[in-house]
Coordinates of all heavy atoms in Angstrom, one line a residue:
M626 N 107.2 104.2 73.9 CA 106.2 103.5 74.8 C 106.5 104.0 76.2 O 107.6 104.1 76.7 CB 106.3 102.0 74.7 CG 105.9 101.4 73.4 SD 104.2 101.8 73.0 CE 103.4 100.3 73.7
G627 N 105.4 104.1 76.9 CA 105.4 104.5 78.3 C 105.1 103.3 79.2 O 105.1 102.2 78.8
W628 N 104.8 103.7 80.4 CA 104.4 102.7 81.4 C 103.0 102.2 81.3 O 102.1 103.0 80.9 CB 104.5 103.3 82.8 CG 105.9 103.4 83.3 CD1 107.0 103.7 82.6 CD2 106.4 103.1 84.6 NE1 108.1 103.7 83.4 CE2 107.8 103.3 84.7 CE3 105.7 102.7 85.8 CZ2 108.5 103.1 85.8 CZ3 106.5 102.5 86.9 CH2 107.9 102.7 86.9
F629 N 102.7 101.0 81.5 CA 101.4 100.4 81.6 C 101.3 99.6 82.9 O 102.1 98.8 83.1 CB 101.1 99.4 80.4 CG 101.0 100.1 79.1 CD1 102.2 100.4 78.3 CD2 99.8 100.4 78.5 CE1 102.1 101.0 77.1 CE2 99.7 101.0 77.3 CZ 100.8 101.3 76.6
F630 N 100.3 99.8 83.6 CA 100.0 98.9 84.8 C 98.5 99.1 85.2 O 97.9 100.1 84.9 CB 100.9 99.2 86.0 CG 100.7 100.5 86.6 CD1 99.7 100.7 87.6 CD2 101.5 101.6 86.3 CE1 99.5 102.0 88.2 CE2 101.3 102.9 86.9 CZ 100.3 103.0 87.9
S631 N 98.0 98.1 85.8 CA 96.7 98.1 86.4 C 96.7 97.2 87.6 O 97.2 96.1 87.5 CB 95.6 97.8 85.4 OG 95.8 96.5 84.8
N632 N 96.1 97.6 88.7 CA 96.0 96.8 89.9 C 94.9 97.3 90.7 O 94.3 98.3 90.4 CB 97.4 96.8 90.7 CG 97.9 98.2 90.9 OD1 97.2 99.1 91.3 ND2 99.2 98.3 90.6
L633 N 94.6 96.6 91.8 CA 93.6 97.1 92.7 C 94.1 96.9 94.2 O 95.1 96.2 94.4 CB 92.3 96.3 92.6 CG 92.2 94.8 92.7 CD1 91.8 94.5 94.2 CD2 91.2 94.2 91.8
H634 N 93.6 97.7 95.1 CA 94.0 97.8 96.4 C 92.8 97.6 97.4 O 91.8 98.3 97.2 CB 94.8 99.1 96.7 CG 95.9 99.3 95.7 ND1 97.1 98.8 95.9 CD2 95.9 99.9 94.5 CE1 97.9 99.1 94.9 NE2 97.2 99.8 94.1
I635 N 93.0 96.7 98.3 CA 91.9 96.4 99.3 C 92.4 97.0 100.6 O 93.4 96.7 101.2 CB 91.7 94.9 99.4 CG1 91.4 94.3 98.1 CG2 90.7 94.6 100.5 CD1 91.5 92.8 98.0
R636 N 91.5 97.9 101.2 CA 91.8 98.5 102.5 C 91.6 97.5 103.6 O 90.5 96.9 103.7 CB 90.9 99.8 102.7 CG 91.3 100.5 103.9 CD 90.4 101.7 104.1 NE 90.8 102.5 105.2 CZ 91.5 103.7 105.1 NH1 91.8 104.2 103.9 NH2 91.9 104.3 106.2
K637 N 92.6 97.4 104.4 CA 92.5 96.5 105.6 C 91.5 97.1 106.6 O 91.4 98.3 106.8 CB 93.8 96.3 106.3 CG 94.8 95.5 105.5 CD 96.0 95.3 106.3 CE 97.1 94.5 105.6 NZ 98.3 94.3 106.3
S638 N 90.7 96.2 107.2 CA 89.8 96.6 108.2 C 90.0 95.7 109.4 O 90.6 94.6 109.3 CB 88.3 96.6 107.7 OG 87.9 95.3 107.4
S639 N 89.4 96.0 110.5 CA 89.6 95.2 111.7 C 89.1 93.7 111.6 O 89.6 92.8 112.1 CB 88.9 95.8 112.9 OG 87.5 96.0 112.7
G640 N 88.0 93.6 110.8 CA 87.4 92.2 110.6 C 87.9 91.5 109.4 O 87.5 90.4 109.1
L641 N 88.8 92.1 108.7 CA 89.3 91.5 107.4 C 90.3 90.3 107.6 O 91.3 90.5 108.3 CB 89.9 92.5 106.5 CG 90.5 92.1 105.2 CD1 89.4 91.6 104.3 CD2 91.3 93.2 104.5
D642 N 89.9 89.2 107.1 CA 90.8 88.0 107.1 C 91.6 88.0 105.8 O 91.1 87.6 104.8 CB 90.0 86.7 107.3 CG 90.9 85.5 107.4 OD1 92.1 85.6 107.3 OD2 90.3 84.4 107.5
V643 N 92.9 88.4 105.9 CA 93.7 88.4 104.7 C 93.8 87.1 104.0 O 93.9 87.0 102.8 CB 95.1 89.0 105.0 CG1 96.0 89.0 103.9 CG2 95.0 90.4 105.6
N644 N 93.8 86.0 104.7 CA 93.9 84.7 104.2 C 92.7 84.3 103.3 O 92.7 83.3 102.6 CB 94.1 83.6 105.3 CG 95.4 83.9 106.0 OD1 96.4 84.2 105.4 ND2 95.4 83.8 107.3
F645 N 91.6 85.0 103.5 CA 90.3 84.7 102.7 C 90.4 85.3 101.3 O 89.7 84.9 100.4 CB 89.1 85.3 103.5 CG 87.8 85.1 102.8 CD1 87.3 83.8 102.6 CD2 87.0 86.2 102.5 CE1 86.1 83.6 102.0 CE2 85.8 86.0 101.9 CZ 85.3 84.7 101.6
I646 N 91.2 86.3 101.1 CA 91.3 87.0 99.8 C 91.6 86.1 98.6 O 90.9 86.2 97.6 CB 92.2 88.2 99.9 CG1 91.6 89.2 100.9 CG2 92.4 88.8 98.5 CD1 92.5 90.4 101.2
P647 N 92.6 85.2 98.7 CA 92.8 84.4 97.5 C 91.7 83.5 97.0 O 91.3 83.5 95.9 CB 94.0 83.5 97.9 CG 94.7 84.3 98.9 CD 93.6 85.0 99.7
S648 N 91.0 82.9 98.0 CA 89.9 82.0 97.6 C 88.7 82.9 97.1 O 88.0 82.5 96.2 CB 89.5 81.1 98.8 OG 89.0 81.9 99.9
L649 N 88.5 84.0 97.7 CA 87.4 84.9 97.3 C 87.7 85.4 95.9 O 86.8 85.4 95.0 CB 87.2 86.1 98.3 CG 86.1 87.1 97.9 CD1 84.8 86.5 97.7 CD2 86.1 88.2 98.9
L650 N 88.9 85.9 95.6 CA 89.2 86.4 94.3 C 89.1 85.3 93.3 O 88.7 85.5 92.1 CB 90.7 86.9 94.4 CG 91.1 87.8 93.2 CD1 90.1 88.9 92.9 CD2 92.5 88.3 93.4
T651 N 89.5 84.1 93.6 CA 89.4 82.9 92.7 C 87.9 82.7 92.3 O 87.6 82.5 91.2 CB 90.0 81.7 93.3 OG1 91.4 81.9 93.5 CG2 89.8 80.4 92.4
Q652 N 87.1 82.8 93.3 CA 85.6 82.6 93.1 C 85.1 83.7 92.2 O 84.4 83.4 91.2 CB 84.9 82.6 94.5 CG 83.4 82.5 94.3 CD 82.7 82.8 95.6 OE1 83.3 82.8 96.7 NE2 81.4 82.9 95.6
I653 N 85.4 84.9 92.5 CA 84.9 86.1 91.7 C 85.4 86.0 90.3 O 84.6 86.2 89.3 CB 85.3 87.4 92.4 CG1 84.5 87.6 93.7 CG2 85.0 88.6 91.4 CD1 85.0 88.7 94.5
L654 N 86.7 85.7 90.1 CA 87.2 85.5 88.7 C 86.6 84.4 88.0 O 86.3 84.4 86.8 CB 88.7 85.4 88.8 CG 89.5 86.6 89.1 CD1 91.0 86.3 89.3 CD2 89.3 87.7 88.1
G655 N 86.3 83.3 88.7 CA 85.6 82.2 88.1 C 84.2 82.6 87.6 O 83.8 82.1 86.5
E656 N 83.5 83.5 88.3 CA 82.2 84.0 87.9 C 82.3 84.9 86.7 O 81.4 85.1 85.9 CB 81.5 84.7 89.0 CG 81.1 83.8 90.2 CD 80.8 84.6 91.5 OE1 80.8 85.8 91.4 OE2 80.4 83.9 92.5
Q657 N 83.5 85.4 86.4 CA 83.8 86.2 85.3 C 84.2 85.4 84.1 O 84.5 85.9 83.0 CB 84.9 87.2 85.6 CG 84.6 88.2 86.6 CD 83.5 89.2 86.2 OE1 83.5 89.6 85.0 NE2 82.6 89.6 87.1
G658 N 84.3 84.1 84.2 CA 84.7 83.2 83.1 C 86.1 82.6 83.2 O 86.5 81.8 82.3
F659 N 86.9 83.0 84.2 CA 88.2 82.5 84.3 C 88.2 81.2 85.0 O 87.3 81.0 85.9 CB 89.1 83.5 85.0 CG 89.4 84.8 84.3 CD1 88.6 85.9 84.6 CD2 90.3 84.8 83.3 CE1 88.8 87.1 83.9 CE2 90.5 86.0 82.6 CZ 89.8 87.1 82.9
Q660 N 89.1 80.3 84.7 CA 89.2 79.0 85.4 C 90.6 78.9 86.1 O 91.6 79.3 85.5 CB 89.0 77.9 84.4 CG 87.7 77.8 83.8 CD 87.5 76.7 82.9 OE1 88.5 76.1 82.5 NE2 86.3 76.3 82.5
E661 N 90.6 78.4 87.3 CA 91.9 78.2 88.0 C 92.6 77.0 87.4 O 92.0 75.9 87.1 CB 91.6 77.9 89.5 CG 92.9 77.8 90.3 CD 92.6 77.6 91.8 OE1 91.5 77.4 92.1 OE2 93.6 77.8 92.5
K662 N 93.9 77.1 87.1 CA 94.7 76.1 86.5 C 95.9 75.8 87.4 O 96.5 76.7 88.0 CB 95.2 76.4 85.1 CG 94.0 76.5 84.2 CD 94.5 76.7 82.8 CE 93.4 76.7 81.8 NZ 93.8 76.8 80.4
N663 N 96.3 74.6 87.5 CA 97.5 74.2 88.2 C 98.8 74.3 87.4 O 99.9 74.2 87.9 CB 97.4 72.8 88.8 CG 96.3 72.7 89.8 OD1 96.1 73.7 90.6 ND2 95.6 71.6 89.9
D664 N 98.6 74.6 86.1 CA 99.7 74.7 85.1 C 100.0 76.2 84.8 O 99.2 76.8 84.0 CB 99.4 73.9 83.9 CG 100.4 74.1 82.8 OD1 101.6 74.4 83.1 OD2 100.1 73.9 81.6
P665 N 101.0 76.8 85.4 CA 101.2 78.2 85.1 C 101.5 78.5 83.7 O 101.2 79.6 83.2 CB 102.5 78.6 86.0 CG 102.6 77.5 87.0 CD 101.9 76.3 86.4
E666 N 102.1 77.6 82.9 CA 102.4 77.8 81.5 C 101.1 77.9 80.7 O 101.1 78.6 79.6 CB 103.3 76.7 81.0 CG 104.6 76.6 81.7 CD 105.5 77.8 81.5 OE1 105.5 78.4 80.4 OE2 106.1 78.2 82.4
G667 N 100.0 77.2 81.1 CA 98.8 77.3 80.3 C 97.8 78.3 80.8 O 96.7 78.4 80.3
A668 N 98.2 79.1 81.7 CA 97.2 80.1 82.3 C 97.1 81.3 81.4 O 98.0 81.7 80.8 CB 97.7 80.5 83.7
D669 N 95.9 81.9 81.4 CA 95.6 83.1 80.7 C 96.1 84.3 81.4 O 96.4 85.3 80.8 CB 94.1 83.2 80.4 CG 93.6 82.2 79.5 OD1 94.3 81.8 78.6 OD2 92.4 81.7 79.6
L670 N 96.1 84.3 82.7 CA 96.6 85.4 83.5 C 97.1 84.9 84.8 O 96.8 83.8 85.3 CB 95.5 86.4 83.8 CG 94.2 86.0 84.5 CD1 94.4 86.3 86.0 CD2 93.0 86.8 84.0
S671 N 97.9 85.7 85.5 CA 98.4 85.4 86.8 C 98.0 86.5 87.7 O 97.8 87.7 87.3 CB 99.9 85.2 86.8 OG 100.6 86.4 86.5
V672 N 97.8 86.2 89.0 CA 97.4 87.2 90.0 C 98.4 87.1 91.2 O 98.7 86.0 91.6 CB 95.9 86.9 90.5 CG1 95.5 87.9 91.5 CG2 95.0 86.9 89.3
S673 N 98.8 88.3 91.6 CA 99.7 88.4 92.8 C 99.0 89.2 93.8 O 98.5 90.3 93.5 CB 101.0 89.0 92.4 OG 101.7 88.3 91.4
I674 N 99.1 88.7 95.1 CA 98.5 89.4 96.2 C 99.7 89.8 97.1 O 100.4 88.9 97.5 CB 97.4 88.6 96.9 CG1 96.3 88.2 95.9 CG2 96.9 89.3 98.2 CD1 95.3 87.2 96.5
Y675 N 99.8 91.1 97.4 CA 100.9 91.5 98.2 C 100.4 92.3 99.4 O 99.7 93.3 99.3 CB 101.8 92.4 97.3 CG 103.0 92.9 98.0 CD1 104.1 92.1 98.4 CD2 103.2 94.3 98.3 CE1 105.2 92.5 99.0 CE2 104.3 94.8 99.0 CZ 105.3 93.9 99.3 OH 106.4 94.3 100.0
D676 N 100.9 91.8 100.6 CA 100.6 92.5 101.9 C 101.9 92.9 102.5 O 102.6 92.1 103.0 CB 99.8 91.6 102.8 CG 99.4 92.2 104.1 OD1 99.7 93.4 104.3 OD2 98.8 91.4 104.9
A677 N 102.2 94.2 102.5 CA 103.4 94.7 103.1 C 103.3 95.1 104.5 O 104.2 95.7 105.1 CB 103.9 95.9 102.3
G678 N 102.1 94.8 105.1 CA 101.9 95.1 106.5 C 101.3 96.4 106.8 O 101.2 96.8 107.9
G679 N 101.0 97.2 105.7 CA 100.4 98.5 105.9 C 98.9 98.5 106.0 O 98.3 97.5 106.4
K680 N 98.3 99.5 105.5 CA 96.8 99.6 105.6 C 96.1 99.1 104.4 O 94.9 99.0 104.3 CB 96.4 101.1 105.8 CG 96.9 101.6 107.1 CD 96.4 103.1 107.3 CE 96.9 103.6 108.7 NZ 96.4 104.9 108.9
W681 N 96.9 98.7 103.3 CA 96.3 98.3 102.1 C 96.9 97.0 101.6 O 98.1 96.7 101.9 CB 96.4 99.3 101.0 CG 95.7 100.6 101.2 CD1 96.1 101.6 102.0 CD2 94.4 100.9 100.8 NE1 95.1 102.6 102.0 CE2 94.0 102.2 101.2 CE3 93.4 100.2 99.9 CZ2 92.8 102.8 101.0 CZ3 92.2 100.9 99.7 CH2 91.9 102.1 100.2
I682 N 96.2 96.1 100.9 CA 96.7 94.9 100.3 C 96.6 95.2 98.8 O 95.5 95.6 98.3 CB 95.8 93.7 100.7 CG1 95.9 93.5 102.2 CG2 96.2 92.5 99.9 CD1 94.8 92.6 102.8
S683 N 97.6 94.9 98.1 CA 97.7 95.1 96.6 C 97.4 93.8 95.9 O 97.9 92.8 96.2 CB 99.0 95.7 96.2 OG 99.2 96.9 96.8
V684 N 96.6 93.9 94.8 CA 96.4 92.8 93.9 C 96.7 93.2 92.5 O 96.2 94.2 92.0 CB 94.9 92.4 93.9 CG1 94.6 91.2 93.0 CG2 94.4 92.0 95.4
C685 N 97.7 92.5 91.9 CA 98.2 92.8 90.6 C 97.9 91.6 89.7 O 98.0 90.5 90.1 CB 99.7 93.1 90.6 SG 100.1 94.4 91.7
S686 N 97.6 91.9 88.4 CA 97.4 90.8 87.4 C 97.9 91.3 86.1 O 97.7 92.4 85.7 CB 95.9 90.5 87.4 OG 95.7 89.5 86.3
D687 N 98.4 90.4 85.3 CA 98.9 90.7 84.0 C 97.8 90.5 83.0 O 98.0 90.8 81.8 CB 100.1 89.8 83.6 CG 99.8 88.3 83.7 OD1 98.6 88.0 84.1 OD2 100.6 87.5 83.3
G688 N 96.6 90.1 83.3 CA 95.6 89.8 82.3 C 94.3 90.6 82.5 O 93.4 90.4 81.7
L689 N 94.2 91.5 83.4 CA 93.0 92.3 83.6 C 93.3 93.7 83.2 O 94.2 94.3 83.8 CB 92.6 92.2 85.1 CG 92.2 90.8 85.5 CD1 91.8 90.8 87.0 CD2 91.0 90.3 84.7
D690 N 92.6 94.2 82.2 CA 92.8 95.6 81.8 C 91.7 96.4 82.3 O 90.6 96.3 82.0 CB 92.8 95.6 80.2 CG 93.2 96.9 79.7 OD1 93.1 97.9 80.4 OD2 93.7 96.9 78.5
F691 N 92.1 97.3 83.2 CA 91.1 98.1 83.9 C 90.5 99.2 83.1 O 89.5 99.7 83.4 CB 91.8 98.8 85.1 CG 92.0 97.9 86.3 CD1 93.0 96.9 86.2 CD2 91.3 97.9 87.4 CE1 93.2 96.0 87.2 CE2 91.5 97.0 88.5 CZ 92.5 96.1 88.3
Y692 N 91.1 99.5 82.0 CA 90.6 100.6 81.1 C 89.5 100.1 80.2 O 88.5 100.8 80.0 CB 91.7 101.2 80.3 CG 91.3 102.4 79.5 CD1 90.9 103.6 80.1 CD2 91.3 102.3 78.1 CE1 90.5 104.7 79.3 CE2 91.0 103.4 77.3 CZ 90.5 104.6 77.9 OH 90.1 105.6 77.2
I693 N 89.6 98.9 79.6 CA 88.7 98.5 78.6 C 87.8 97.4 79.1 O 86.8 97.0 78.4 CB 89.4 98.0 77.3 CG1 90.3 96.8 77.6 CG2 90.1 99.2 76.7 CD1 90.9 96.2 76.3
D694 N 88.0 96.8 80.2 CA 87.3 95.7 80.7 C 86.3 96.1 81.8 O 86.7 96.3 82.9 CB 88.2 94.6 81.2 CG 87.6 93.3 81.5 OD1 86.3 93.2 81.5 OD2 88.3 92.3 81.6
E695 N 85.0 96.2 81.5 CA 84.0 96.6 82.5 C 83.9 95.6 83.6 O 83.3 95.9 84.7 CB 82.7 96.8 81.8 CG 82.7 98.0 80.9 CD 81.4 98.3 80.2 OE1 80.4 97.7 80.6 OE2 81.4 99.1 79.3
S696 N 84.4 94.4 83.5 CA 84.3 93.4 84.5 C 85.1 93.8 85.7 O 84.8 93.3 86.8 CB 84.6 92.0 84.0 OG 86.0 92.0 83.7
I697 N 86.1 94.7 85.6 CA 86.9 95.1 86.7 C 86.1 95.8 87.7 O 86.2 95.6 88.9 CB 88.0 96.0 86.2 CG1 89.0 95.3 85.2 CG2 88.8 96.6 87.4 CD1 89.5 94.0 85.8
Q698 N 85.1 96.6 87.3 CA 84.2 97.3 88.2 C 83.4 96.3 89.0 O 83.3 96.4 90.2 CB 83.3 98.2 87.5 CG 82.3 99.0 88.4 CD 81.4 99.9 87.7 OE1 81.5 100.2 86.5 NE2 80.5 100.5 88.4
N699 N 83.0 95.2 88.3 CA 82.2 94.2 89.0 C 83.1 93.4 90.0 O 82.7 93.1 91.1 CB 81.6 93.2 88.0 CG 80.8 92.2 88.6 OD1 80.0 92.5 89.5 ND2 80.9 90.9 88.2
I700 N 84.4 93.2 89.6 CA 85.3 92.5 90.5 C 85.5 93.3 91.8 O 85.5 92.8 92.9 CB 86.6 92.2 89.8 CG1 86.4 91.1 88.7 CG2 87.7 91.7 90.8 CD1 87.6 90.9 87.8
C701 N 85.8 94.6 91.6 CA 86.0 95.5 92.7 C 84.8 95.6 93.6 O 84.9 95.6 94.8 CB 86.5 96.9 92.2 SG 88.1 96.9 91.5
N702 N 83.6 95.8 93.0 CA 82.4 95.9 93.8 C 82.1 94.6 94.6 O 81.8 94.7 95.7 CB 81.2 96.1 92.8 CG 81.2 97.5 92.3 OD1 81.9 98.4 92.8 ND2 80.4 97.8 91.2
R703 N 82.4 93.4 94.0 CA 82.1 92.2 94.7 C 83.1 92.0 95.8 O 82.7 91.6 96.9 CB 82.3 91.0 93.7 CG 81.2 90.9 92.6 CD 79.9 90.4 93.1 NE 79.9 89.3 93.9 CZ 80.1 88.0 93.5 NH1 80.2 87.7 92.3 NH2 80.1 87.0 94.4
L704 N 84.4 92.4 95.6 CA 85.4 92.3 96.7 C 85.0 93.2 97.8 O 85.0 92.8 99.0 CB 86.8 92.7 96.2 CG 87.5 91.6 95.4 CD1 88.7 92.2 94.7 CD2 87.9 90.4 96.3
S705 N 84.6 94.4 97.5 CA 84.2 95.4 98.5 C 83.0 94.9 99.3 O 83.0 95.0 100.5 CB 83.9 96.7 97.8 OG 83.5 97.7 98.8
E706 N 82.0 94.4 98.6 CA 80.8 93.9 99.3 C 81.2 92.7 100.3 O 80.8 92.7 101.4 CB 79.8 93.3 98.3 CG 79.0 94.4 97.6 CD 78.1 93.7 96.5 OE1 78.0 92.5 96.5 OE2 77.6 94.5 95.7
R707 N 81.9 91.7 99.7 CA 82.2 90.5 100.5 C 83.2 90.8 101.7 O 83.1 90.1 102.7 CB 82.7 89.4 99.6 CG 81.8 88.9 98.6 CD 80.7 88.0 99.2 NE 81.1 86.9 100.0 CZ 81.5 85.7 99.5 NH1 81.4 85.5 98.2 NH2 81.9 84.8 100.3
L708 N 84.1 91.7 101.5 CA 85.1 92.0 102.5 C 84.7 93.2 103.4 O 85.4 93.5 104.4 CB 86.4 92.3 101.9 CG 87.0 91.2 101.1 CD1 88.3 91.6 100.3 CD2 87.3 90.0 101.9
S709 N 83.6 93.9 103.1 CA 83.1 95.0 103.8 C 84.2 96.1 104.0 O 84.4 96.5 105.1 CB 82.5 94.6 105.2 OG 81.4 93.7 105.0
T710 N 84.8 96.4 102.9 CA 85.8 97.4 102.9 C 85.9 98.1 101.6 O 85.3 97.7 100.6 CB 87.2 96.8 103.4 OG1 88.1 97.9 103.7 CG2 87.8 95.9 102.3
E711 N 86.8 99.1 101.5 CA 87.0 99.8 100.2 C 87.9 99.1 99.3 O 88.9 98.5 99.8 CB 87.5 101.2 100.5 CG 86.6 102.2 101.2 CD 86.6 102.0 102.7 OE1 87.6 101.4 103.3 OE2 85.7 102.5 103.4
V712 N 87.7 99.1 98.0 CA 88.6 98.6 97.0 C 88.8 99.7 96.0 O 87.9 100.3 95.5 CB 88.0 97.3 96.4 CG1 88.9 96.8 95.3 CG2 87.7 96.2 97.4
L713 N 90.1 99.9 95.7 CA 90.5 101.0 94.8 C 91.2 100.4 93.6 O 92.1 99.6 93.8 CB 91.4 101.9 95.6 CG 92.1 103.1 94.9 CD1 91.0 104.2 94.6 CD2 93.2 103.7 95.8
S714 N 90.7 100.8 92.4 CA 91.4 100.3 91.2 C 92.3 101.5 90.7 O 91.9 102.6 90.7 CB 90.5 99.8 90.2 OG 89.6 100.9 89.8
V715 N 93.5 101.1 90.2 CA 94.4 102.1 89.7 C 95.0 101.6 88.4 O 95.3 100.4 88.3 CB 95.6 102.3 90.7 CG1 96.6 103.3 90.2 CG2 95.1 102.7 92.1
A716 N 95.1 102.5 87.4 CA 95.6 102.1 86.1 C 96.4 103.2 85.5 O 96.0 104.4 85.6 CB 94.5 101.6 85.2
C717 N 97.4 102.9 84.7 CA 98.2 103.9 83.9 C 98.4 103.3 82.5 O 98.7 102.1 82.4 CB 99.5 104.1 84.6 SG 100.6 105.2 83.7
F718 N 98.2 104.1 81.5 CA 98.2 103.6 80.1 C 99.2 104.5 79.3 O 99.0 105.6 79.1 CB 96.8 103.6 79.5 CG 95.9 102.8 80.3 CD1 95.0 103.5 81.2 CD2 95.8 101.5 80.2 CE1 94.1 102.8 81.9 CE2 94.9 100.7 80.9 CZ 94.1 101.4 81.8
D719 N 100.3 103.9 78.9 CA 101.3 104.5 78.1 C 101.8 105.8 78.7 O 102.1 106.8 78.0 CB 100.8 104.7 76.7 CG 101.9 105.0 75.7 OD1 103.0 104.7 76.0 OD2 101.6 105.5 74.6
S720 N 101.8 105.9 80.0 CA 102.2 107.1 80.8 C 101.4 108.3 80.5 O 101.7 109.4 80.9 CB 103.7 107.4 80.5 OG 104.5 106.3 80.9
D721 N 100.3 108.2 79.7 CA 99.5 109.3 79.3 C 98.2 109.4 80.1 O 97.7 110.5 80.3 CB 99.2 109.3 77.8 CG 100.5 109.4 77.0 OD1 101.4 110.1 77.4 OD2 100.5 108.8 75.9
C722 N 97.7 108.3 80.5 CA 96.3 108.3 81.1 C 96.4 107.6 82.4 O 96.9 106.4 82.5 CB 95.3 107.6 80.2 SG 93.7 107.6 80.8
F723 N 96.0 108.2 83.5 CA 96.1 107.6 84.8 C 94.6 107.6 85.3 O 94.0 108.6 85.3 CB 97.0 108.5 85.8 CG 97.1 107.9 87.1 CD1 97.8 106.7 87.4 CD2 96.4 108.5 88.2 CE1 97.9 106.2 88.7 CE2 96.5 107.9 89.5 CZ 97.2 106.8 89.7
I724 N 94.2 106.4 85.7 CA 92.8 106.3 86.2 C 92.8 105.8 87.6 O 93.5 104.9 88.0 CB 92.0 105.3 85.3 CG1 91.9 105.8 83.9 CG2 90.6 105.0 85.9 CD1 91.3 104.8 83.0
L725 N 92.1 106.4 88.5 CA 92.0 106.1 89.9 C 90.6 105.9 90.3 O 89.8 106.8 90.0 CB 92.7 107.2 90.7 CG 92.7 107.0 92.2 CD1 93.5 105.8 92.7 CD2 93.3 108.2 92.9

């Protein structure tokens, strides 16, 4: 078995409020049928948002499959529209297929 990962990256812009991203992402995922839960043990997926201070903010999730789930395109498009910036999705499947 090889590596598997999928994540998305949001380009920082001058008007981007990084603190708005979690609530916006929660709203967009809610529109995709996911519900926010206060119980991590009962959650279907977890989402991590990482800002290292560079030009991009990374969003990683263990429950969104960028290769087979067409809703990812919708999530990226909605984030891009609402944040007025570029959103890049990246995925690797079994170290054989890399999608950018």
Side-chain angles (χ1 to χ4, degrees):
M626 290 297 268
W628 283 40
F629 290 84
F630 67 85
S631 56
N632 48 47
L633 60 93
H634 305 275
I635 303 165
R636 186 178 184 105
K637 288 184 183 177
S638 63
S639 61
L641 177 65
D642 180 3
V643 175
N644 297 318
F645 179 61
I646 293 174
S648 62
L649 176 59
L650 192 55
T651 299
Q652 176 189 350
I653 291 171
L654 289 172
E656 293 167 0
Q657 296 290 325
F659 294 99
Q660 295 179 346
E661 184 176 13
K662 294 188 177 184
N663 293 327
D664 174 25
E666 297 299 320
D669 293 326
L670 62 91
S671 63
V672 176
S673 299
I674 300 171
Y675 182 68
D676 180 4
K680 294 182 180 182
W681 293 85
I682 299 164
S683 298
V684 179
C685 303
S686 175
D687 60 352
L689 297 175
D690 190 336
F691 284 73
Y692 184 66
I693 61 173
D694 191 348
E695 292 179 12
S696 66
I697 299 305
Q698 181 178 354
N699 186 40
I700 292 169
C701 291
N702 289 343
R703 297 283 314 280
L704 282 169
S705 181
E706 285 175 10
R707 294 288 306 275
L708 298 172
S709 298
T710 192
E711 294 85 13
V712 177
L713 177 70
S714 62
V715 179
C717 178
F718 304 96
D719 198 18
S720 299
D721 295 327
C722 180
F723 182 75
I724 297 173
L725 178 63

